[in-house]
Amino acid sequence: MIVSVLQENLAKSLGIVTRAIESSPPLPVLSNVLLETEDSRLKLSATNLEVSITAWIGAKVEQAGSITLPARTFSELVGTLSRERIDMKLDASTHTMEMRCGVQTTNIRGIDADEFPPINHGPEADFHLAGDTLKEMINQTVFAAATEMNRPILTGVYVKLEDTTLTMAAADGYRLAVRTSEMANSFDEKQDMVIPARTMNEVARICGDDMEVGVCLPKERNAITFTAPNVVITSQALDGRFPDFAAIIPRSFATTTMLYTSDLLAVCRRAEIFARDNANSSTMVVRPADNPGEPADVMIVGKSAERGDTEGAAQATAEGEPLDISFNIKYLIDVLNVIKEERVIFQSNGPENPGVLKPEEREDFVHVIMPMSK
Amino acid sequence: MAKARKILHLDLDAFFCAVEEQLRPELRGKAIAVGGQPDQRGVVASASYPARAFGVRSAMPMAQALRLCPHLIVVGGTRGAYSDRSRKVMAILHDTAPDVEPLSIDEAFLDVTILPESIEETARKLQRRINRELDLPCSLGGATNKLIAKTANTIGKASKPKDAPPNAITIVAPGDEAQFLAPLPIRGLWGVGPKNAETLASLGLRTIGQVAQWSEAALVARLGKLGGDIWRRAQGIDTRPVQAGGAAKSISKEVTFAVDIADDARLLLTLRRLADGVGRAARKAGLAGTIIKIKLRYGNFSTHSRQTTLEYATDNDTVIMKCAERLFLQSRIDDTPVRLIGIGLSGFAEPSRQLDLWGKAERPAESSEFQSALDQLRDKYGETTIRRASDLHYQPNDDNRR
């Protein structure tokens, strides 16, 4: 194997594929990146057996070949090399890759490529999505997925295709994010699956504005493949059924408040400074005005028994009943961080009932947060 | 019935200003305010009585204070001198009564029940001593509990002329508590904030007396547990003791076995009982904690403790028990006989529970409804009325070493 690549390209693609690698994998070879020549490209792959990521970069291939190199050493070195051409030459008998770049000559010992588990990315895509849409859909749902393993199915993002609607949903038991989008294709037969949140985060990272991402749905192997230009991510779907969530989204509300997203976010962040000592519990106080259209009083209160308290007013209009409701303030901050619209609607049916947030004039994103009760 | 307590509330009048006047006698009798400079958006920390006569108040922006009172003398403040005088005042209080609870640098409660003289007499002596020895004006309120003593002091001070330190003494006689509170606006009642005042006003309740006339159940229905507290306070009832060391920092229960025990099953039974005890004590004190700690002392007196921090403050027996069990199993040195075992709850915060999207049906024992039903049964029929099934063959007296 004799191949030349640009440092910049190699560093970038290593940054993408090595995210599939676990910190202490069950097999030594899983700490390595697989390098294979493919026509006039160098193909890099990494896997943890659940998620596999492959990326291609342009290369001058003098002699075909393959090898695996320890990801950490390889990435760390490439990251520090100068922005020049890297010439790589494999000594197959010792599995040692000689790398020359500028003034630097390096030999990295690897493991034979045959020991690397086979990576099967899915075949042709079943449908395509605009990269920016896919990225936004993931970013608006994935943060709500569970990080603890007590309900493994909730560590994934639920993905459903039905007719022309793509739905993504995630919930950690206390909050739920649901985002939909219309597709060009139509799926007469409903298909649904649960994809690990970790995979979805990686997919969001590779999505760019001016690209189409192909999706190959799980078939017999229960794996889903996302194909972006020069990068492919394949992931096992999670086993199990995602709990029914449609029923827990309320349809009518006693209190409806319209707020400014960035203003509310700022007030929540201040409350969080004090709420930290109090399980992040902060109270939202809503007092609708006597006459419609007049500004309402909306306050967010954060209290610490030891450090003090803070109370901030958010600009708002409100209709319906007065409301005092406590939330884990981090949940509010998380959702406000992924709403780009200027204004946001907050609705609830009382302090023991879910709070519902959605961007103004959008029906394709809804977020439900369960309150904290005394 | 227990003998009525005698509680005093002491407040140093315009304390920072009084200290400044000692340091700079030329300021005496003038309108002064201690605080930040107006051009640095300073606020008033303390205003002398001549300044208060112009409407200058604590926490007011200094610029506004100067508009109200153009000849106001703004003084930067001398921190060290304040804490020095405060320590001297507290020393006099400790010299007077065994139980002193400082509330801030210039405010404290005293329990003077054990003193033979009348509460007025004690108050007068104390005031004279602080006036003479430290040259500081102070006001006192006296009554059978903290709530009335503090309220009496506030009312007494307010009834004095505004242009000089009040140096007031106001005593509410035993039995007159409710009558004393009755005409006061509900905002004057401890624990009633603007929101609750609004709720009470919407029920037509504007004075404390009106609240006292209402049914407790109706207030609980409107305001929850706080409704009950407000109702009791409106009657002038307050059983809080004067606590010398400030509020409780932890609640713990432990047991020393008569004979060291190596059997884990037996130890776990004890641990569960201790968890119930800690939970119940916490609920009685109205506290909920985030830190659960267990302590194990082995036969050779080596002592091990281990703790965990919860995301949400709890006062629930089952939650405390589950954590304690896990800590026990993690830290237990196998088969070594245990001499003492204990559980502590600390890191107090507001009790709160994150509600679940799909309901909590799977863990009914952790619900507050379940817990309070158990408490009611135990209050009415005794602690052993209802027990864990695992405790049925267990004799509580097995444990305690004499």
mmCIF file of all heavy atoms in Angstrom, chain A residues 279-310:
data_model
loop_
_atom_site.group_PDB
_atom_site.id
_atom_site.type_symbol
_atom_site.label_atom_id
_atom_site.label_comp_id
_atom_site.label_asym_id
_atom_site.label_seq_id
_atom_site.Cartn_x
_atom_site.Cartn_y
_atom_site.Cartn_z
ATOM 1 N N ALA A 279 -32.384 20.717 42.981
ATOM 2 C CA ALA A 279 -32.762 19.762 41.945
ATOM 3 C C ALA A 279 -33.171 20.476 40.652
ATOM 4 O O ALA A 279 -33.971 19.963 39.878
ATOM 5 C CB ALA A 279 -33.888 18.847 42.423
ATOM 6 N N ASN A 280 -32.639 21.671 40.422
ATOM 7 C CA ASN A 280 -32.945 22.478 39.240
ATOM 8 C C ASN A 280 -34.388 22.948 39.175
ATOM 9 O O ASN A 280 -34.840 23.422 38.148
ATOM 10 C CB ASN A 280 -32.604 21.738 37.942
ATOM 11 C CG ASN A 280 -31.124 21.635 37.741
ATOM 12 O OD1 ASN A 280 -30.402 22.605 37.964
ATOM 13 N ND2 ASN A 280 -30.652 20.460 37.367
ATOM 14 N N SER A 281 -35.108 22.776 40.265
ATOM 15 C CA SER A 281 -36.516 23.151 40.247
ATOM 16 C C SER A 281 -36.678 24.675 40.266
ATOM 17 O O SER A 281 -36.184 25.341 41.163
ATOM 18 C CB SER A 281 -37.206 22.542 41.463
ATOM 19 O OG SER A 281 -38.519 23.027 41.547
ATOM 20 N N SER A 282 -37.345 25.191 39.248
ATOM 21 C CA SER A 282 -37.635 26.622 39.174
ATOM 22 C C SER A 282 -39.117 26.776 38.903
ATOM 23 O O SER A 282 -39.712 25.959 38.229
ATOM 24 C CB SER A 282 -36.877 27.276 38.025
ATOM 25 O OG SER A 282 -35.510 27.117 38.195
ATOM 26 N N THR A 283 -39.661 27.859 39.417
ATOM 27 C CA THR A 283 -41.102 28.051 39.257
ATOM 28 C C THR A 283 -41.392 29.109 38.212
ATOM 29 O O THR A 283 -40.750 30.158 38.188
ATOM 30 C CB THR A 283 -41.734 28.432 40.603
ATOM 31 O OG1 THR A 283 -41.389 27.416 41.540
ATOM 32 C CG2 THR A 283 -43.238 28.530 40.503
ATOM 33 N N MET A 284 -42.345 28.785 37.346
ATOM 34 C CA MET A 284 -42.818 29.745 36.358
ATOM 35 C C MET A 284 -44.172 30.245 36.851
ATOM 36 O O MET A 284 -45.057 29.445 37.146
ATOM 37 C CB MET A 284 -42.967 29.042 35.010
ATOM 38 C CG MET A 284 -43.395 29.945 33.884
ATOM 39 S SD MET A 284 -43.681 28.909 32.425
ATOM 40 C CE MET A 284 -42.987 29.914 31.190
ATOM 41 N N VAL A 285 -44.264 31.557 36.988
ATOM 42 C CA VAL A 285 -45.502 32.156 37.477
ATOM 43 C C VAL A 285 -46.123 32.929 36.314
ATOM 44 O O VAL A 285 -45.474 33.804 35.739
ATOM 45 C CB VAL A 285 -45.210 33.111 38.655
ATOM 46 C CG1 VAL A 285 -46.482 33.781 39.139
ATOM 47 C CG2 VAL A 285 -44.524 32.370 39.789
ATOM 48 N N VAL A 286 -47.344 32.575 35.950
ATOM 49 C CA VAL A 286 -48.019 33.239 34.827
ATOM 50 C C VAL A 286 -49.272 33.940 35.353
ATOM 51 O O VAL A 286 -50.116 33.308 35.989
ATOM 52 C CB VAL A 286 -48.418 32.227 33.726
ATOM 53 C CG1 VAL A 286 -49.131 32.939 32.573
ATOM 54 C CG2 VAL A 286 -47.218 31.462 33.220
ATOM 55 N N ARG A 287 -49.351 35.237 35.137
ATOM 56 C CA ARG A 287 -50.546 35.998 35.510
ATOM 57 C C ARG A 287 -51.065 36.716 34.268
ATOM 58 O O ARG A 287 -50.515 37.765 33.891
ATOM 59 C CB ARG A 287 -50.215 37.039 36.597
ATOM 60 C CG ARG A 287 -49.797 36.452 37.929
ATOM 61 C CD ARG A 287 -50.993 35.879 38.695
ATOM 62 N NE ARG A 287 -50.554 35.195 39.902
ATOM 63 C CZ ARG A 287 -50.195 33.908 39.954
ATOM 64 N NH1 ARG A 287 -50.232 33.155 38.868
ATOM 65 N NH2 ARG A 287 -49.820 33.360 41.093
ATOM 66 N N PRO A 288 -52.079 36.149 33.640
ATOM 67 C CA PRO A 288 -52.605 36.812 32.442
ATOM 68 C C PRO A 288 -53.123 38.205 32.796
ATOM 69 O O PRO A 288 -53.549 38.441 33.919
ATOM 70 C CB PRO A 288 -53.760 35.896 32.016
ATOM 71 C CG PRO A 288 -53.475 34.584 32.667
ATOM 72 C CD PRO A 288 -52.780 34.904 33.945
ATOM 73 N N ALA A 289 -53.063 39.138 31.825
ATOM 74 C CA ALA A 289 -53.562 40.495 32.053
ATOM 75 C C ALA A 289 -55.086 40.468 32.092
ATOM 76 O O ALA A 289 -55.714 39.526 31.620
ATOM 77 C CB ALA A 289 -53.076 41.406 30.934
ATOM 78 N N ASP A 290 -55.676 41.530 32.689
ATOM 79 C CA ASP A 290 -57.129 41.588 32.781
ATOM 80 C C ASP A 290 -57.766 41.736 31.403
ATOM 81 O O ASP A 290 -58.820 41.195 31.128
ATOM 82 C CB ASP A 290 -57.553 42.754 33.681
ATOM 83 C CG ASP A 290 -57.110 42.506 35.119
ATOM 84 O OD1 ASP A 290 -56.957 41.313 35.475
ATOM 85 O OD2 ASP A 290 -56.910 43.482 35.865
ATOM 86 N N ASN A 291 -57.107 42.502 30.534
ATOM 87 C CA ASN A 291 -57.661 42.723 29.198
ATOM 88 C C ASN A 291 -56.805 42.029 28.148
ATOM 89 O O ASN A 291 -55.575 42.103 28.217
ATOM 90 C CB ASN A 291 -57.702 44.220 28.903
ATOM 91 C CG ASN A 291 -58.527 44.955 29.939
ATOM 92 O OD1 ASN A 291 -59.655 44.562 30.228
ATOM 93 N ND2 ASN A 291 -57.929 45.977 30.530
ATOM 94 N N PRO A 292 -57.438 41.367 27.191
ATOM 95 C CA PRO A 292 -56.670 40.654 26.178
ATOM 96 C C PRO A 292 -55.743 41.610 25.422
ATOM 97 O O PRO A 292 -56.083 42.773 25.216
ATOM 98 C CB PRO A 292 -57.735 40.062 25.252
ATOM 99 C CG PRO A 292 -59.040 40.610 25.691
ATOM 100 C CD PRO A 292 -58.876 41.228 27.031
ATOM 101 N N GLY A 293 -54.569 41.122 25.067
ATOM 102 C CA GLY A 293 -53.642 41.945 24.312
ATOM 103 C C GLY A 293 -52.663 42.704 25.185
ATOM 104 O O GLY A 293 -51.592 43.068 24.753
ATOM 105 N N GLU A 294 -53.032 42.940 26.452
ATOM 106 C CA GLU A 294 -52.107 43.625 27.348
ATOM 107 C C GLU A 294 -51.014 42.663 27.804
ATOM 108 O O GLU A 294 -51.240 41.472 27.864
ATOM 109 C CB GLU A 294 -52.856 44.146 28.588
ATOM 110 C CG GLU A 294 -53.702 45.362 28.281
ATOM 111 C CD GLU A 294 -54.458 45.851 29.507
ATOM 112 O OE1 GLU A 294 -54.168 45.358 30.621
ATOM 113 O OE2 GLU A 294 -55.334 46.711 29.335
ATOM 114 N N PRO A 295 -49.838 43.199 28.153
ATOM 115 C CA PRO A 295 -48.768 42.291 28.575
ATOM 116 C C PRO A 295 -49.133 41.549 29.859
ATOM 117 O O PRO A 295 -49.788 42.111 30.731
ATOM 118 C CB PRO A 295 -47.566 43.216 28.809
ATOM 119 C CG PRO A 295 -48.057 44.600 28.685
ATOM 120 C CD PRO A 295 -49.416 44.593 28.086
ATOM 121 N N ALA A 296 -48.706 40.307 29.944
ATOM 122 C CA ALA A 296 -48.968 39.495 31.123
ATOM 123 C C ALA A 296 -47.744 39.537 32.025
ATOM 124 O O ALA A 296 -46.659 39.908 31.591
ATOM 125 C CB ALA A 296 -49.250 38.069 30.713
ATOM 126 N N ASP A 297 -47.927 39.147 33.292
ATOM 127 C CA ASP A 297 -46.781 38.987 34.178
ATOM 128 C C ASP A 297 -46.336 37.533 34.100
ATOM 129 O O ASP A 297 -47.088 36.635 34.459
ATOM 130 C CB ASP A 297 -47.176 39.283 35.634
ATOM 131 C CG ASP A 297 -47.324 40.768 35.874
ATOM 132 O OD1 ASP A 297 -46.648 41.530 35.154
ATOM 133 O OD2 ASP A 297 -48.099 41.150 36.756
ATOM 134 N N VAL A 298 -45.122 37.313 33.622
ATOM 135 C CA VAL A 298 -44.555 35.963 33.636
ATOM 136 C C VAL A 298 -43.209 36.054 34.329
ATOM 137 O O VAL A 298 -42.350 36.847 33.944
ATOM 138 C CB VAL A 298 -44.406 35.384 32.223
ATOM 139 C CG1 VAL A 298 -43.672 34.048 32.269
ATOM 140 C CG2 VAL A 298 -45.774 35.202 31.574
ATOM 141 N N MET A 299 -43.054 35.280 35.393
ATOM 142 C CA MET A 299 -41.814 35.312 36.165
ATOM 143 C C MET A 299 -41.226 33.915 36.219
ATOM 144 O O MET A 299 -41.959 32.932 36.301
ATOM 145 C CB MET A 299 -42.077 35.716 37.619
ATOM 146 C CG MET A 299 -42.905 36.955 37.802
ATOM 147 S SD MET A 299 -41.963 38.371 37.290
ATOM 148 C CE MET A 299 -41.200 38.740 38.826
ATOM 149 N N ILE A 300 -39.906 33.855 36.218
ATOM 150 C CA ILE A 300 -39.218 32.592 36.472
ATOM 151 C C ILE A 300 -38.394 32.792 37.738
ATOM 152 O O ILE A 300 -37.609 33.745 37.819
ATOM 153 C CB ILE A 300 -38.278 32.199 35.312
ATOM 154 C CG1 ILE A 300 -39.016 32.206 33.977
ATOM 155 C CG2 ILE A 300 -37.602 30.870 35.593
ATOM 156 C CD1 ILE A 300 -39.775 30.969 33.642
ATOM 157 N N VAL A 301 -38.610 31.928 38.713
ATOM 158 C CA VAL A 301 -37.985 32.085 40.017
ATOM 159 C C VAL A 301 -37.033 30.919 40.267
ATOM 160 O O VAL A 301 -37.417 29.761 40.131
ATOM 161 C CB VAL A 301 -39.059 32.109 41.136
ATOM 162 C CG1 VAL A 301 -38.403 32.356 42.486
ATOM 163 C CG2 VAL A 301 -40.105 33.168 40.840
ATOM 164 N N GLY A 302 -35.792 31.230 40.606
ATOM 165 C CA GLY A 302 -34.823 30.189 40.987
ATOM 166 C C GLY A 302 -34.389 30.435 42.411
ATOM 167 O O GLY A 302 -34.072 31.564 42.777
ATOM 168 N N LYS A 303 -34.415 29.366 43.228
ATOM 169 C CA LYS A 303 -34.101 29.552 44.644
ATOM 170 C C LYS A 303 -33.076 28.532 45.107
ATOM 171 O O LYS A 303 -33.145 27.373 44.730
ATOM 172 C CB LYS A 303 -35.361 29.315 45.495
ATOM 173 C CG LYS A 303 -36.275 30.473 45.577
ATOM 174 C CD LYS A 303 -37.380 30.153 46.566
ATOM 175 C CE LYS A 303 -38.466 31.220 46.492
ATOM 176 N NZ LYS A 303 -39.684 30.782 47.148
ATOM 177 N N SER A 304 -32.164 29.007 45.946
ATOM 178 C CA SER A 304 -31.243 28.103 46.623
ATOM 179 C C SER A 304 -31.383 28.386 48.106
ATOM 180 O O SER A 304 -31.369 29.544 48.514
ATOM 181 C CB SER A 304 -29.813 28.387 46.173
ATOM 182 O OG SER A 304 -28.907 27.986 47.170
ATOM 183 N N ALA A 305 -31.540 27.332 48.905
ATOM 184 C CA ALA A 305 -31.734 27.557 50.339
ATOM 185 C C ALA A 305 -30.515 28.259 50.928
ATOM 186 O O ALA A 305 -30.636 29.044 51.858
ATOM 187 C CB ALA A 305 -31.978 26.232 51.040
ATOM 188 N N GLU A 306 -29.334 27.992 50.371
ATOM 189 C CA GLU A 306 -28.135 28.542 50.965
ATOM 190 C C GLU A 306 -27.621 29.794 50.282
ATOM 191 O O GLU A 306 -27.081 30.672 50.935
ATOM 192 C CB GLU A 306 -27.038 27.479 51.001
ATOM 193 C CG GLU A 306 -27.310 26.529 52.135
ATOM 194 C CD GLU A 306 -26.386 25.353 52.208
ATOM 195 O OE1 GLU A 306 -25.411 25.323 51.450
ATOM 196 O OE2 GLU A 306 -26.676 24.479 53.024
ATOM 197 N N ARG A 307 -27.753 29.867 48.946
ATOM 198 C CA ARG A 307 -27.086 30.950 48.228
ATOM 199 C C ARG A 307 -27.970 32.131 47.898
ATOM 200 O O ARG A 307 -27.477 33.173 47.489
ATOM 201 C CB ARG A 307 -26.417 30.406 46.971
ATOM 202 C CG ARG A 307 -25.221 29.487 47.293
ATOM 203 C CD ARG A 307 -24.499 29.039 46.044
ATOM 204 N NE ARG A 307 -25.360 28.215 45.229
ATOM 205 C CZ ARG A 307 -25.660 28.456 43.961
ATOM 206 N NH1 ARG A 307 -25.145 29.498 43.356
ATOM 207 N NH2 ARG A 307 -26.453 27.645 43.301
ATOM 208 N N GLY A 308 -29.291 31.981 48.012
ATOM 209 C CA GLY A 308 -30.165 33.104 47.695
ATOM 210 C C GLY A 308 -31.162 32.754 46.616
ATOM 211 O O GLY A 308 -31.423 31.584 46.362
ATOM 212 N N ASP A 309 -31.717 33.763 45.976
ATOM 213 C CA ASP A 309 -32.727 33.484 44.970
ATOM 214 C C ASP A 309 -32.727 34.565 43.905
ATOM 215 O O ASP A 309 -32.134 35.628 44.081
ATOM 216 C CB ASP A 309 -34.113 33.376 45.603
ATOM 217 C CG ASP A 309 -34.461 34.609 46.415
ATOM 218 O OD1 ASP A 309 -34.601 35.687 45.818
ATOM 219 O OD2 ASP A 309 -34.583 34.482 47.644
ATOM 220 N N THR A 310 -33.377 34.290 42.791
ATOM 221 C CA THR A 310 -33.488 35.277 41.735
ATOM 222 C C THR A 310 -34.838 35.123 41.069
ATOM 223 O O THR A 310 -35.406 34.041 41.040
ATOM 224 C CB THR A 310 -32.331 35.148 40.717
ATOM 225 O OG1 THR A 310 -32.404 36.233 39.804
ATOM 226 C CG2 THR A 310 -32.394 33.845 39.937
#
